[in-house]
Amino acid sequence: MKKSLRIASAALALTLAAGMTMPAFAASSSSFTKSENVYVVMNADGSVQSTTVSEHLYNAGGLSSVTDVSCLTNIQNTESDAAFTQDGEKLVWNTDDTDVYYKGDTDRALPIGAKVTYTLDGTTDSLENLIGKSGHLKITVDLTNYETGTVTVNGKERTIVTPLVTAVGVIFGEDASNLNADHGIVESAAKSNVAAFVCLPGVKDSLSGLLPDDLSAVEDYLQDSVTVEADVENLAAPQIMLAAATSPDALGTDNVFDLDSINELTDGIQQLNDAMSQLMDGASQLEDGVSQLADGTLALLDGASQLNTGAAALNDGLGQLTNGLDTLTSNNDALNSAAQQVADGVLASANSSLMEGGLIDTPMTWDNYQSVIDEVLTMNAKTLAAARKKMVRTIWEQEPSFKDSQLDLALYLSATKTNHDLEAALRLMQKYDPSMICGLIDLLTSAEAKQTVQDELKLQAENSEDIANVRALKTSLSQIQLFVSSVGQYTGGVAAAADGAHSAKDGSAQLADGTKSLYDGVTTLNNGVGQLADGSTRLADGLNQFNEEGISKLTGSLDTDQIHALKTVLDAMTDRLESYTSFAGAPEEASSNVKFVYKTGETVAAATNTAETETTTQSGSFFTRLWERIVNLFKF
């Protein structure tokens, strides 16, 4: 798996851990809040051994006569002597305390199921039979999401799930080495080794056939099965841990799927196709026009040559020649004006693009366009400001709209963490919880960090498509200016030829001199037209290649119906997630939240591994220290 995706998975795991240590309640006006922790002890194979639910009720005004709802059995008040009465699933608390903690048992089916298999040197067996053996161990955790429903998409029913974010952790002792975890992270802490994953069980099947090809990388996060491999010596029982978050804030759906931009993206694709078609039509017309001009120039060159070698023969038809040249001369102003109009139109279009992009404030002229563009290419403050706005507005059309400060974070991470990969930096930044982002913002107040952001912004701008287009624009304007100059030379030559023809009437010697000048001028014009013809052909070929290799592939992979179907499914899954706020039950008037914590039963080796991890994380790496926050979730 790509390094950037590994880092993104790690960041998402840490974000989940941070989110699960803070209460997150369903938004509503309520009489009290209810926080629910579901603790599940698993057998080594992932089957459920026992389920215990811990509840925390809170009301600043006290909990006297508060009616709760719970399907739990064997309910015990764990923190006080507060009494309650029970009628079926209704619990009425009779206390002025602001907090009540209680626990109970349940045999309800869990939303996430796990099946754990162990394979040593290619042979699959129970963990009990593998304890104490040595070799290459492969542990596979298959996850099943049982929280399913249906949604109608394009007239057909599709099965979807509640997208519960599930963290999976595996802790080994010093008996394991050379850990490998595809789609996850691996860290070592003293005598322990840990592997962690973040998955969205069932979401891959829910989105089957809806993700465009160019978004296939999203599937790297949609894992229903994770695998850890290690070399073991006298295998001790590893600890398997799972945590499933039901809070939308912990899940971070707004960052993963930018649903609001789908319609805008669809409209933008259509506009892009239309604009590209117009551009290609214009390039084809330009190529045809230049071809006609080249043919005319060659014909004129041939005529001038014959005139130069057959001055005596032309003497009889001198009257016809002067009449023809007079006709050409009468069209000189119109030709020059038309050429200048074409050039001015191109310049106006360039001015519009540069001003709309914020790169210039006043229109360029034919006298100063080179210096103006050169100033833009110096990456001055205006150019960098325009680049910033362009990145915020359009670079990540399928991601949320970023503010300048958020982009500064991404630029900083791109420069320091992802080797100038802005896309990876953006994904990394998106997965941080608010407290981490605040910490990074504090970091950016330093002069060194500000300079890093400025340098990265300059690097991104210098290598952007917009700046490449500005460089190409300078060349294009120079070619247009050469075209206008060549037309001027042509009309000047025609005028000179006309003058020469009239002078020829007074003497064959003057005629010969005039035809020689005409021939030289037309030769120069022919050379210029040939260059222009080559340039227009290259322009047309380049646009065709750009359309085939770039625009067509982009727009062709984004089917409007497919995007709308994807939006329907994501909206339905988001609604299910927001409504899933309790496992054992909660009254409608309460603000509630729930999380699930699974682990395999304690063994001596597993307990030692966990203790070692907790003891050594204080002096470990950044990710190792934060792993302690995940481990703490499983202390029950």
Side-chain angles (χ1 to χ4, degrees):
M1 184 179 181
K2 294 181 180 177
K3 181 179 180 182
S4 62
L5 293 180
R6 292 179 185 273
I7 296 175
S9 295
L12 189 55
L14 301 175
T15 301
L16 172 62
M20 295 177 70
T21 61
M22 300 181 292
F25 300 99
S28 67
S29 175
S30 62
S31 60
F32 67 95
T33 59
K34 182 174 184 178
S35 181
E36 190 173 69
N37 295 328
V38 181
Y39 298 112
V40 182
V41 176
M42 301 184 297
N43 297 310
D45 62 0
S47 58
V48 176
Q49 189 178 116
S50 65
T51 302
T52 302
V53 181
S54 176
E55 308 281 12
H56 173 208
L57 308 182
Y58 172 79
N59 185 12
L63 294 167
S64 178
S65 299
V66 166
T67 300
D68 186 16
V69 174
S70 178
C71 66
L72 300 178
T73 60
N74 301 323
I75 294 177
Q76 301 176 30
N77 187 335
T78 59
E79 298 289 337
S80 69
D81 296 327
F84 66 91
T85 59
Q86 185 172 5
D87 181 10
E89 292 188 355
K90 290 185 178 181
L91 281 70
V92 179
W93 292 93
N94 302 304
T95 178
D96 291 329
D97 293 345
T98 59
D99 296 271
V100 166
Y101 296 86
Y102 69 91
K103 69 177 181 178
D105 301 325
T106 182
D107 57 0
R108 285 193 62 190
L110 295 164
I112 299 296
K115 178 183 178 183
V116 185
T117 56
Y118 305 83
T119 302
L120 185 68
D121 291 335
T123 300
T124 299
D125 205 343
S126 66
L127 177 61
E128 180 182 0
N129 292 337
L130 297 179
I131 296 297
K133 295 183 179 181
S134 302
H136 185 74
L137 179 66
K138 178 179 179 181
I139 299 178
T140 301
V141 182
D142 295 311
L143 303 171
T144 302
N145 190 332
Y146 294 108
E147 279 297 316
T148 62
T150 60
V151 63
T152 301
V153 180
N154 294 333
K156 297 181 179 180
E157 282 198 347
R158 172 183 286 265
T159 299
I160 61 173
V161 298
T162 302
L164 300 174
V165 178
T166 303
V168 181
V170 181
I171 300 181
F172 290 90
E174 57 185 330
D175 55 301
S177 61
N178 300 323
L179 264 68
N180 181 60
D182 287 342
H183 308 291
I185 59 171
V186 173
E187 287 293 334
S188 297
K191 298 180 180 180
S192 297
N193 297 280
V194 297
F197 308 83
V198 172
C199 307
L200 293 170
V203 173
K204 183 176 183 179
D205 287 340
S206 296
L207 299 178
S208 177
L210 297 181
L211 290 176
D213 292 340
D214 59 344
L215 296 179
S216 58
V218 174
E219 296 185 6
D220 288 329
Y221 298 99
L222 310 181
Q223 301 299 316
D224 295 316
S225 178
V226 297
T227 300
V228 182
E229 297 188 50
D231 295 325
V232 295
E233 185 74 25
N234 297 322
L235 174 65
Q239 186 84 59
I240 309 296
M241 302 177 176
L242 280 75
T246 60
S247 166
D249 293 334
L251 178 66
T253 53
D254 289 339
N255 291 331
V256 177
F257 302 111
D258 184 16
L259 304 182
D260 293 335
S261 65
I262 291 181
N263 290 331
E264 296 177 5
L265 174 63
T266 302
D267 294 339
I269 291 299
Q270 185 60 49
Q271 294 174 7
L272 182 61
N273 273 331
D274 293 343
M276 193 64 198
S277 296
Q278 293 176 9
L279 186 59
M280 292 180 65
D281 289 343
S284 178
Q285 293 174 9
L286 175 62
E287 188 176 18
D288 292 341
V290 172
S291 178
Q292 293 175 9
L293 178 61
D295 292 341
T297 303
L298 287 175
L300 181 61
L301 180 62
D302 183 59
S305 176
Q306 294 177 18
L307 181 63
N308 187 50
T309 58
L314 288 175
N315 189 49
D316 294 336
L318 194 55
Q320 297 178 5
L321 175 62
T322 55
N323 291 337
L325 290 176
D326 285 343
T327 300
L328 289 176
T329 302
S330 67
N331 293 320
N332 280 353
D333 290 342
L335 182 59
N336 284 327
S337 176
Q340 190 61 48
Q341 287 179 2
V342 171
D344 290 344
V346 173
L347 183 62
S349 177
N351 278 325
S352 176
S353 297
L354 294 180
M355 292 177 72
E356 288 178 0
L359 294 175
I360 63 175
D361 293 326
T362 57
M364 300 181 294
T365 66
W366 285 112
D367 293 328
N368 69 358
Y369 77 90
Q370 291 184 332
S371 61
V372 170
I373 292 178
D374 288 341
E375 177 63 18
V376 170
L377 295 177
T378 62
M379 297 294 108
N380 58 25
K382 179 177 288 296
T383 301
L384 294 180
R388 178 191 295 275
K389 292 179 180 179
K390 184 64 179 292
M391 277 188 274
V392 171
R393 185 174 67 254
T394 62
I395 287 181
W396 306 108
E397 292 181 349
Q398 298 179 55
E399 300 294 334
S401 296
F402 288 89
K403 298 178 181 178
D404 286 353
S405 61
Q406 292 174 305
L407 183 60
D408 284 344
L409 294 178
L411 289 169
Y412 181 81
L413 293 174
S414 175
T416 60
K417 299 293 183 183
T418 61
N419 296 325
H420 308 293
D421 186 343
L422 184 56
E423 178 181 0
L426 282 168
R427 293 186 180 277
L428 174 62
M429 184 269 290
Q430 292 164 15
K431 307 305 181 291
Y432 283 129
D433 67 321
S435 63
M436 295 181 188
I437 292 179
C438 290
L440 287 174
I441 290 175
D442 291 339
L443 176 62
L444 288 179
T445 60
S446 71
E448 181 179 357
K450 288 179 179 178
Q451 186 60 47
T452 299
V453 170
Q454 182 71 10
D455 293 343
E456 184 63 17
L457 175 59
K458 182 177 179 182
L459 176 65
Q460 295 288 343
E462 286 178 334
N463 291 279
S464 68
E465 181 180 355
D466 284 349
I467 294 303
N469 289 339
V470 171
R471 295 189 183 99
L473 176 62
K474 180 179 178 182
T475 301
S476 297
L477 291 178
S478 297
Q479 292 175 345
I480 291 296
Q481 200 171 35
L482 176 61
F483 165 72
V484 174
S485 175
S486 298
V487 171
Q489 291 180 16
Y490 164 72
T491 57
V494 170
D499 292 339
H502 282 285
S503 299
K505 291 181 181 180
D506 299 329
S508 59
Q510 293 179 355
L511 177 60
D513 292 340
T515 55
K516 180 63 169 63
S517 298
L518 176 63
Y519 176 78
D520 292 341
V522 175
T523 299
T524 301
L525 174 62
N526 183 60
N527 293 335
V529 170
Q531 295 176 2
L532 182 60
D534 292 341
S536 64
T537 299
R538 289 196 298 270
L539 173 62
D541 292 343
L543 286 174
N544 283 323
Q545 182 179 1
F546 177 60
N547 183 56
E548 293 173 359
E549 298 180 0
I551 300 301
S552 294
K553 288 186 177 180
L554 172 63
T555 60
S557 66
L558 296 175
D559 178 78
T560 302
D561 292 338
Q562 183 182 20
I563 293 177
H564 287 168
L566 176 62
K567 184 178 186 299
T568 300
V569 172
L570 292 176
D571 284 346
M573 288 197 296
T574 299
D575 291 341
R576 291 179 61 86
L577 183 70
E578 291 175 349
S579 63
Y580 195 94
T581 60
S582 177
F583 177 69
E588 292 183 359
E589 66 272 15
S591 292
S592 57
N593 74 97
V594 60
K595 64 175 176 283
F596 298 84
V597 181
Y598 301 60
K599 72 172 183 178
T600 51
E602 290 285 357
T603 65
V604 174
T608 300
N609 293 347
T610 303
E612 283 291 345
T613 301
E614 297 173 19
T615 300
T616 58
T617 49
Q618 295 298 327
S619 59
S621 69
F622 173 72
F623 284 116
T624 306
R625 292 194 303 273
L626 284 177
W627 172 251
E628 181 182 14
R629 301 171 70 177
I630 299 178
V631 172
N632 288 336
L633 293 174
F634 300 95
K635 293 180 178 179
F636 65 89

